[in-house]
Amino acid sequence: MNKFFLDLGVQPLANNFLKKYSAKQPKYNLKLYFNTKSKMVSISKRIPSSVMFNSKYPYRSSMSSTMRTSFKELSSEIKKKFNPKLLLEIGSNDGALLNNFDKDKAIGVEPCKNLAKITKAKRYYTYDDYWDFKLSSEIKKKFKEVDLIYSANTLTHISNLNEVFKSLKLILSDEGCLIIEDPSLLECIKKNSYDQFYNEHIYVFSAIALTNLLKKFNLEIFDIKNLPTHGGSLRYFIKKRSNKKYNVKFSVKKQIDKEIKNGLDKFITYKDFATKSTKSKKLFLEILKKIKKDNKKIIGYGATAKAVTVLNYCNIDHDLIKNFTDTTPEKINTFLPGKNIKILGYKKDILKKYDYAFLGAWNFKKEIFAKEKNFLKKGGRFITHLPLPKII
Ligand code: JHZ
């Protein structure tokens, strides 16, 4: 049974960066549910993939050195441990991972045509289509089977998880490995990052819920790694149950035990999370209003999908946060979804004109702090909303 626990209000599409602000852009309810049987946490309103992921999708995986390094390190690990004949990446974005592989050894699936174009131009075989059974059958026809499938921050974006895993199983070789990587529900609960929820994040996985889901397909997790990326992610190594090439490692039990200890299998945990999120909203508004009263100026740093959830949930507009800045070409000179707040291109010393910077990209805090030493030296301060809002 699906039980409701948090209402994040009416939200625009998290990556709908418009050239001209419009109050009339489409908005949807964002409500969070916990399934008491499968233990899966999900949002209720499902927007069709074709509406969210289109030929103008602005998010680029290569925009931060943190992510480029993470993909590079993973690529070396894959080559060393698995030495795949063929790697398939689902949600290959702008090729941040593919770039580390030979062109004849790696293929991509990327439905956002503007992004698929980038890897195609580099001669990586790229399907610019949505991941489903039809596409999987097509890939099977051409490549027979795949011994390494990788997908980061993509499968949780697809509503029909049964079809997702049925399609994966169809092409995964018997001794193959499927690696998936997504934000960790445990980290999300611990950090009180309600902003991990937006229309694209239909699910936030826990190891408990994923294990339950994989059982249906005779698939199992054989290793789990905790990663610092995206505010705390889990990398799951998955195989067919019949595949004896890999032993199930202790890391799997360790993660599940940790999740049980933190109550991820109980509804009450999510009710507490909801209470904390409401408190966080109130506190955040108090901080921003006090800064406004003192005639000081705030800029948002990193026009993330997460920041869209925060600003729309907390009803914050340009009277409180003047502008955002972001390095992504597609986001520059557009407006933060749902808000009349203009996104300025990043340039050195852009923060000079502001007293405070709200960390929209809080998951890149280390990288950003290193880059903005001058701002900090001159008395500028950052604001974060996690785990509870404060000036840092
Ligand atoms: P970042 C997106 O979420 C959407 P977002 C998606 N649904 C998902 O799952 C994750 O990515 C993986 C900018 N930036 O990665 C670049 C600077 O401007 O937290 C990006 O626009 N300066 C697919 O949007 C944004 O911040 C910097 O120095 O929440 C970061 O977005 C740095 C480091 C980043 O993902």
Side-chain angles (χ1 to χ4, degrees):
M1 193 184 70
N2 275 333
K3 281 177 95 172
F4 163 79
F5 65 90
L6 177 61
D7 186 348
L8 289 170
V10 180
Q11 296 273 351
L13 293 171
N15 270 300
N16 192 19
F17 291 85
L18 300 172
K19 288 252 176 285
K20 233 174 121 188
Y21 169 69
S22 158
K24 285 197 197 117
Q25 60 193 281
K27 289 189 180 173
Y28 311 87
N29 289 319
L30 185 62
K31 289 187 178 160
L32 313 189
Y33 287 79
F34 171 67
N35 188 291
T36 49
K37 193 164 171 251
S38 68
K39 314 295 180 195
M40 189 67 86
V41 168
S42 62
I43 64 168
S44 56
K45 175 78 190 160
R46 310 286 164 92
I47 320 279
S49 296
S50 56
V51 175
M52 294 190 287
F53 309 110
N54 48 43
S55 55
K56 289 200 180 92
Y57 193 69
Y59 181 75
R60 298 240 210 130
S61 303
S62 303
M63 275 300 121
S64 80
S65 66
T66 311
M67 287 318 293
R68 285 195 302 273
T69 309
S70 171
F71 285 125
K72 200 168 178 197
E73 285 171 3
L74 171 66
S75 304
S76 309
E77 190 186 331
I78 289 178
K79 285 177 198 166
K80 217 163 113 197
K81 276 198 192 151
F82 301 101
N83 189 25
K85 289 197 280 291
L86 184 66
L87 174 136
L88 161 68
E89 186 182 15
I90 301 167
S92 48
N93 199 277
D94 61 356
L97 178 98
L98 289 185
N99 287 340
N100 299 295
F101 287 89
D102 291 343
K103 292 173 181 56
D104 57 342
K105 282 193 156 184
I107 59 176
V109 169
E110 178 47 66
C112 302
K113 293 198 167 43
N114 59 321
L115 298 171
K117 219 164 98 183
I118 302 172
T119 52
K120 277 183 184 178
K122 289 185 179 164
R123 303 200 171 283
Y124 285 99
Y125 200 97
T126 312
Y127 291 88
D128 51 7
D129 219 335
Y130 299 93
W131 179 249
D132 59 14
F133 199 71
K134 191 171 150 270
L135 178 60
S136 173
S137 312
E138 208 179 297
I139 298 175
K140 193 174 169 71
K141 233 187 204 167
K142 187 166 170 66
F143 293 96
K144 292 198 178 67
E145 56 181 21
V146 180
D147 49 356
L148 201 302
I149 307 176
Y150 176 71
S151 189
N153 302 300
T154 300
L155 304 186
T156 48
H157 297 54
I158 310 175
S159 182
N160 189 345
L161 288 178
N162 285 331
E163 179 162 357
V164 163
F165 285 98
K166 194 176 125 192
S167 315
L168 286 166
K169 211 181 153 186
L170 181 73
I171 51 159
L172 182 67
S173 68
D174 286 343
E175 296 213 321
C177 173
L178 159 67
I179 306 174
I180 66 174
E181 196 171 310
D182 284 282
S184 153
L185 183 61
L186 180 58
E187 289 305 315
C188 168
I189 297 288
K190 275 188 177 168
K191 294 191 172 78
N192 205 33
S193 63
Y194 61 84
D195 54 347
Q196 281 294 7
F197 294 94
Y198 45 88
N199 6 72
E200 292 177 12
H201 281 185
I202 298 172
Y203 306 96
V204 176
F205 285 162
S206 63
I208 300 175
L210 188 61
T211 301
N212 290 340
L213 176 70
L214 293 174
K215 267 186 200 148
K216 292 201 237 170
F217 303 93
N218 278 321
L219 293 169
E220 67 181 346
I221 306 170
F222 67 92
D223 196 7
I224 296 183
K225 283 210 170 104
N226 274 274
L227 309 172
T229 48
H230 291 296
S233 296
L234 289 179
R235 182 177 288 155
Y236 302 93
F237 295 77
I238 297 164
K239 64 176 186 68
K240 290 183 178 170
R241 273 181 183 277
S242 54
N243 179 355
K244 300 290 173 223
K245 194 169 164 190
Y246 309 108
N247 295 323
V248 177
K249 292 204 176 146
F250 179 66
S251 58
V252 181
K253 182 177 173 338
K254 194 173 158 194
Q255 179 66 28
I256 291 178
D257 285 352
K258 208 160 56 167
E259 291 182 357
I260 292 173
K261 203 171 144 222
N262 282 277
L264 257 56
D265 54 341
K266 297 200 176 61
F267 182 62
I268 178 82
T269 307
Y270 301 97
K271 283 303 281 178
D272 285 351
F273 174 75
T275 308
K276 280 194 203 131
S277 304
T278 317
K279 187 173 158 199
S280 169
K281 172 179 177 171
K282 192 169 162 272
L283 263 171
F284 193 39
L285 279 169
E286 278 169 19
I287 292 175
L288 300 191
K289 282 179 183 166
K290 162 94 177 53
I291 292 174
K292 183 187 171 188
K293 219 174 126 207
D294 294 344
N295 279 323
K296 303 280 188 209
K297 271 168 49 181
I298 309 174
I299 187 166
Y301 199 113
T304 59
K306 296 181 288 289
V308 174
T309 295
V310 176
L311 268 71
N312 284 280
Y313 172 54
C314 300
N315 300 317
I316 294 161
D317 221 313
H318 69 269
D319 58 320
L320 294 176
I321 296 183
K322 289 270 166 274
N323 293 104
F324 262 75
T325 181
D326 200 286
T327 49
T328 314
E330 288 85 346
K331 293 183 184 178
I332 296 169
N333 289 328
T334 68
F335 288 80
L336 193 83
K339 296 292 158 190
N340 193 359
I341 303 179
K342 195 163 185 182
I343 300 163
L344 309 175
Y346 178 79
K347 44 182 199 292
K348 209 172 163 275
D349 289 338
I350 189 168
L351 302 190
K352 234 172 153 178
K353 293 192 205 129
Y354 302 84
D355 306 287
Y356 295 89
F358 161 58
L359 267 177
W362 56 267
N363 41 318
F364 295 114
K365 182 176 159 196
K366 233 171 140 185
E367 185 176 335
I368 294 169
F369 271 46
K371 211 157 100 184
E372 304 305 341
K373 275 193 201 119
N374 256 347
F375 173 65
L376 290 163
K377 234 191 256 162
K378 290 192 176 133
R381 305 284 297 272
F382 279 95
I383 307 169
T384 184
H385 66 293
L386 297 176
L388 278 176
K390 66 171 185 236
I391 295 169
I392 38 178

